[in-house]
Amino acid sequence: MAVTRPDGRKRVVIEGVSPLIDGGRFPAKRTQGDQVRVEADLFTDGHDSISASLLVHREGSDEWTEIPMQPLVNDRWTAAFRVKELGLYGFKVQGWVDHFETWRRDLLKRIKAETDAPVDYLIGADLIDTAADRGFAFDAEWLRKRAEVLRSGLDPKQLRTHATDLLLHEMAQRYPDKQFATESDGEARIVVDPVHARFSAWYEFFPRSTGSEPGKPGTFADCEKRLPYVAEMGFNVVYLPPIHPIGQIFRKGRNNASEAQPGDPGSPWAIGSDEGGHKAIHAGLGTIEDFRRFVHKARELNLMIALDIAFQVAPDHPYVREHENWFRKRPDGTIQYAENPPKKYQDIYPFDFESDDWASMWEELKDVFLFWIDHGVTIFRVDNPHTKAFPFWEWVIAEIKQDHPQVLFLAEAFTRPKIMYRLAKLGFSQSYTYFPWRNAKSEITTYLTELTQTPVREFFRPNQWPNTPDILTEFLQIGGRPAFAIRLLLAATLGSNYGIYGPAFELLEDRPVRRGSEEYLDSEKYEVRTWDLNHSDSLRQLITVVNRVRKNNEALQSDWSLKFYPTDNDQLICYSKESEDSTNLILVVVNLDPRHTQAGFVTLPMDELQIPQDRAYEAEDLLTGNRYLWHGPRNYVELNPANLPGHFLKIHRQLKVESDFEYFL
């Protein structure tokens, strides 16, 4: 087999481009206004100098912006750009042997050694002339005159002055010789989402449990009344479990009983009945107009609505009658219901993504998203996406974001890491994480370091939840009120995106259906609940303060600056986050033990945090308003979980002394 001969004049090698996800197969993620820092290894044979540029454009546009790259160390180069618009951006790296830069570098060495000769200046004149050929009118004329000067045979001192003039260097570099430039393979992509893809606080509640009368289901009108409560706590996303008609066949009863009793409302995830399917609303909640009014009310309170999308159906869903071939049949002719042996879910039929009619099914499922987008929903929490075909998600998310780049998708995928990461690469904007089960200091440190300080962060945005309707962890079951407070403080600061399932969380719901289970007793998934939002033991006030601190401190609005610090007590965890411009530094210390006071010393890297070694500095607790005067890298912390299990410390790096004030002069 013949080997294709490469153009050997393209001598620059480009490797290790970042961010680059699976060789450019998938886009990296950013939000509006973010800076994208691109790095690459660039080098060539021999000793010639090289130059490099970053080329950037919005996908669909032929206009490229060129940004000079700067060398770092060990042949690593970098450049950065900001993404201002939603949608896809593309970039590539370009490098070339820079003969003018090589000439100037070597000339400076010869001048220093006093070995420069007239021919050296003639070489430079030729290079300047070729730059002029590439330049615009005024610049070209100016460059040619400088080339004439270098050919004029002036006194060597004068030639040296003209040849090394910084303006000449700048002008020649404006018009580099790129005829043999190398470009990185393919085009790397960046998907740009709204800022709330990076920074958000979610609150989940069941619409049917918003009523004020025990046993009487709530409506969208009741949901509207619940919105100020959520807004006052400082959340900006309201997430609703499925709001569609619920199947009657094999309906589940209270506490997941296999048979429903009269009046049992069933599980909202058993979607569809004679009333309609995924594009219909449960009649007990109201009408589509009631829903639109609810969305409008939320917007007035600066709340966004996230809707649960569960691609599965109840046996009496219209799809079963109209598209029987979208479901897998067993040998006896019945449709296969969902199973996770030994568990059986007879009230749910999964879609068959190997159906012969898969293309029509894909189009219909896409239309479900579009239907709710038309009714004001721009965020979707997707139920169990890992149990649906990966190619479907890549296609449907790309299709939707092409026309609706503001739409976000949260993956509810509590599954194996590689699968969670694949879903993120396919387009999911955020994902649930293993945070609920990471309780020990070492577990938290290792896991969050992986999510925030490795290449995973380029495509995987964590959304930290201490509880969900499916997850009541053992830590919450046995730790009492302090356990809920601990997990709140951790979730809200370890993650710039976090959420709670309420009112169960703030009202400290900790009763499992049985010992060893993470299911709630009297779970809202299977019955209507009535909540006393004004209960005296509620965490409502603490949640409000936590969300206010997050909103007022830029450091807590992203994850990439997260750094952990040593403590001499493993029950104390200490970490910081810092704003991009380093003006906002937040230090978090949390007692991980819900039952006992824990104390110890935290050790900070003073130089790394830019804290002066020779002055005291102030640690202001944003949760309580208390202020502490700290000295040096080691400082004492004591936290009683019965009072407040953590500090959110704003570090004021430098206290003013007398000489800092004008009157001292």
Side-chain angles (χ1 to χ4, degrees):
M1 182 172 131
V3 178
T4 303
R5 180 182 298 173
D7 187 342
R9 298 171 297 178
K10 296 185 175 184
R11 295 166 48 208
V12 171
V13 176
I14 302 176
E15 296 178 339
V17 177
S18 70
L20 190 68
I21 311 303
D22 290 0
R25 169 72 172 81
F26 302 106
K29 290 184 172 69
R30 294 295 188 276
T31 58
Q32 277 184 292
D34 283 352
Q35 183 183 76
V36 181
R37 180 182 174 90
V38 176
E39 293 187 6
D41 298 327
L42 292 99
F43 51 89
T44 188
D45 57 276
H47 302 289
D48 285 325
S49 292
I50 65 173
S51 290
S53 287
L54 173 65
L55 304 176
V56 181
H57 77 136
R58 286 209 64 213
E59 197 161 275
S61 170
D62 294 329
E63 295 185 14
W64 291 79
T65 299
E66 183 173 359
I67 305 167
M69 299 189 76
Q70 304 300 322
L72 294 170
V73 66
N74 194 24
D75 296 317
R76 193 72 172 163
W77 292 66
T78 187
F81 64 99
R82 290 203 179 272
V83 286
K84 298 179 180 179
E85 300 180 62
L86 297 177
L88 282 168
Y89 283 72
F91 72 85
K92 53 189 175 181
V93 173
Q94 188 180 65
W96 61 94
V97 172
D98 192 329
H99 295 292
F100 179 83
E101 188 65 33
T102 303
W103 168 78
R104 188 176 189 274
R105 178 200 66 193
D106 292 346
L107 179 64
L108 288 170
K109 292 179 182 178
R110 293 188 178 102
I111 291 172
K112 185 176 182 179
E114 297 186 351
T115 60
D116 52 319
V119 69
D120 296 321
Y121 297 94
L122 295 179
I123 293 171
D126 288 346
L127 291 171
I128 294 167
D129 270 336
T130 60
D133 292 341
R134 296 185 292 271
F136 296 116
F138 175 81
D139 292 348
E141 181 181 354
W142 189 91
L143 286 166
R144 289 194 178 95
K145 287 181 180 179
R146 298 306 290 265
E148 291 172 7
V149 171
L150 297 190
R151 293 192 181 99
S152 65
L154 290 173
D155 176 84
K157 289 185 179 180
Q158 291 179 296
L159 285 177
R160 290 171 181 173
T161 300
H162 285 288
T164 60
D165 178 33
L166 291 177
L167 181 58
L168 172 62
H169 182 237
E170 179 189 334
M171 291 289 281
Q173 292 296 78
R174 286 185 190 177
Y175 306 104
D177 182 2
K178 293 187 179 183
Q179 62 175 323
F180 302 131
T182 303
E183 289 189 353
S184 51
D185 294 334
E187 181 180 318
R189 293 175 298 153
I190 303 287
V191 60
V192 181
D193 291 318
V195 172
H196 54 266
R198 169 175 49 81
F199 175 60
S200 61
W202 291 51
Y203 185 88
E204 176 181 6
F205 68 81
F206 281 72
R208 69 188 187 187
S209 292
T210 56
S212 57
E213 297 181 28
K216 183 178 180 180
T219 66
F220 283 127
D222 295 309
C223 291
E224 286 187 42
K225 297 175 184 176
R226 179 67 54 88
L227 290 175
Y229 168 83
V230 178
E232 287 165 8
M233 283 192 288
F235 293 98
N236 64 347
V237 178
V238 170
Y239 156 46
L240 304 183
I243 58 174
H244 316 297
I246 297 172
Q248 297 286 342
I249 300 175
F250 294 115
R251 175 176 285 194
K252 291 294 182 72
R254 296 187 177 192
N255 290 314
N256 201 20
S258 58
E259 293 185 10
Q261 300 301 311
D264 284 348
S267 168
W269 283 272
I271 297 171
S273 71
D274 291 339
E275 298 176 15
H278 285 72
K279 300 175 189 175
I281 286 177
H282 192 290
L285 295 175
T287 66
I288 193 68
E289 288 305 317
D290 295 328
F291 176 76
R292 291 177 68 94
R293 187 165 51 249
F294 166 71
V295 172
H296 179 74
K297 177 65 175 179
R299 287 177 179 167
E300 290 180 347
L301 296 171
N302 295 316
L303 293 169
M304 294 166 282
I305 299 301
L307 192 62
D308 194 296
I309 292 292
F311 283 146
Q312 58 200 31
V313 303
D316 38 340
H317 192 296
Y319 286 159
V320 178
R321 297 190 305 272
E322 299 166 5
H323 303 281
E324 194 176 75
N325 56 347
W326 288 358
F327 306 94
R328 185 167 296 174
K329 286 189 175 181
R330 298 184 294 188
D332 62 1
T334 60
I335 293 176
Q336 176 67 59
Y337 53 76
E339 284 189 276
N340 186 9
K343 296 180 179 179
K344 297 181 179 181
Y345 304 96
Q346 296 97 326
D347 59 334
I348 291 174
Y349 289 167
F351 287 102
D352 178 10
F353 281 85
E354 295 180 0
S355 165
D356 292 339
D357 195 26
W358 63 271
S360 297
M361 183 177 72
W362 281 26
E363 289 290 346
E364 173 61 20
L365 298 183
K366 181 184 82 169
D367 204 49
V368 171
F369 284 115
L370 295 177
F371 176 87
W372 294 108
I373 291 170
D374 287 344
H375 288 86
V377 178
T378 56
I379 305 176
F380 297 97
R381 179 270 200 188
V382 177
D383 188 75
N384 286 330
H386 56 291
T387 62
K388 287 78 181 173
F390 292 160
F392 167 73
W393 292 123
E394 183 172 16
W395 172 80
V396 76
I397 292 174
E399 284 276 303
I400 289 169
K401 289 186 77 69
Q402 184 173 1
D403 295 326
H404 305 281
Q406 78 282 12
V407 172
L408 303 181
F409 300 84
L410 170 64
E412 189 251 359
F414 294 109
T415 182
R416 302 187 301 281
K418 287 185 174 62
I419 296 175
M420 294 172 72
Y421 291 163
R422 182 69 176 190
L423 289 166
K425 293 174 185 178
L426 293 174
F428 278 91
S429 319
Q430 298 178 359
S431 177
Y432 287 78
T433 70
Y434 304 138
F435 169 76
W437 303 279
R438 298 298 188 260
N439 296 311
K441 179 179 177 178
S442 59
E443 294 174 334
I444 295 170
T445 301
T446 300
Y447 185 47
L448 269 296
T449 297
E450 175 186 345
L451 296 185
T452 64
Q453 304 304 317
T454 73
V456 166
R457 71 185 193 176
E458 297 286 358
F459 59 84
F460 185 86
R461 287 199 195 101
N463 194 325
Q464 316 289 14
W465 290 67
N467 76 325
T468 76
D470 299 302
I471 300 169
L472 174 62
T473 62
E474 185 179 29
F475 188 83
L476 295 179
Q477 293 176 27
I478 66 176
R481 191 176 197 275
F484 283 80
I486 289 168
R487 300 307 289 178
L488 169 69
L489 300 185
L490 291 171
T493 52
L494 290 170
S496 56
N497 293 303
Y498 93 106
I500 62 172
Y501 153 53
F505 186 85
E506 67 266 30
L507 298 183
L508 314 178
E509 187 81 0
D510 61 2
R511 300 171 301 156
V513 69
R514 61 185 174 276
R515 187 173 179 82
S517 172
E518 289 191 335
E519 284 274 3
Y520 288 85
L521 178 66
D522 301 329
S523 170
E524 282 188 277
K525 292 191 297 181
Y526 308 107
E527 63 182 273
V528 175
R529 294 285 300 272
T530 304
W531 300 96
D532 178 8
L533 302 182
N534 297 311
H535 193 281
S536 60
D537 208 28
S538 172
L539 284 177
R540 177 178 180 179
Q541 183 176 356
L542 178 59
I543 293 169
T544 303
V545 173
V546 166
N547 283 334
R548 184 186 307 129
V549 171
R550 282 166 44 91
K551 183 178 180 180
N552 293 337
N553 288 273
E554 186 181 343
L556 298 175
Q557 296 172 15
S558 63
D559 289 335
W560 288 15
S561 64
L562 179 66
K563 295 177 182 177
F564 292 92
Y565 304 116
T567 67
D568 59 5
N569 180 343
D570 276 346
Q571 291 300 322
L572 293 177
I573 189 168
C574 177
Y575 50 92
S576 75
K577 284 187 172 181
E578 189 173 17
S579 61
E580 185 179 348
D581 62 6
S582 298
T583 60
N584 185 225
L585 174 62
I586 303 296
L587 186 75
V588 178
V589 187
V590 177
N591 177 0
L592 300 176
D593 180 356
R595 299 202 178 277
H596 304 97
T597 296
Q598 297 289 343
F601 284 86
V602 301
T603 302
L604 304 180
M606 303 290 282
D607 291 340
E608 182 182 319
L609 295 176
Q610 302 176 52
I611 301 174
Q613 295 272 6
D614 58 345
R615 288 189 180 187
Y617 55 101
E618 184 181 76
E620 177 190 359
D621 192 340
L622 301 178
L623 295 178
T624 63
N626 294 332
R627 296 171 181 264
Y628 306 95
L629 196 62
W630 280 14
H631 302 265
R634 278 174 54 84
N635 288 275
Y636 179 78
V637 173
E638 181 177 308
L639 290 165
N640 180 349
N643 297 329
L644 189 60
H647 290 306
F648 288 3
L649 300 171
K650 183 175 183 179
I651 301 300
H652 301 277
R653 289 184 169 94
Q654 184 170 311
L655 292 180
K656 289 186 177 181
V657 298
E658 186 178 14
S659 58
D660 294 322
F661 295 91
E662 291 182 2
Y663 59 71
F664 187 80
L665 300 176

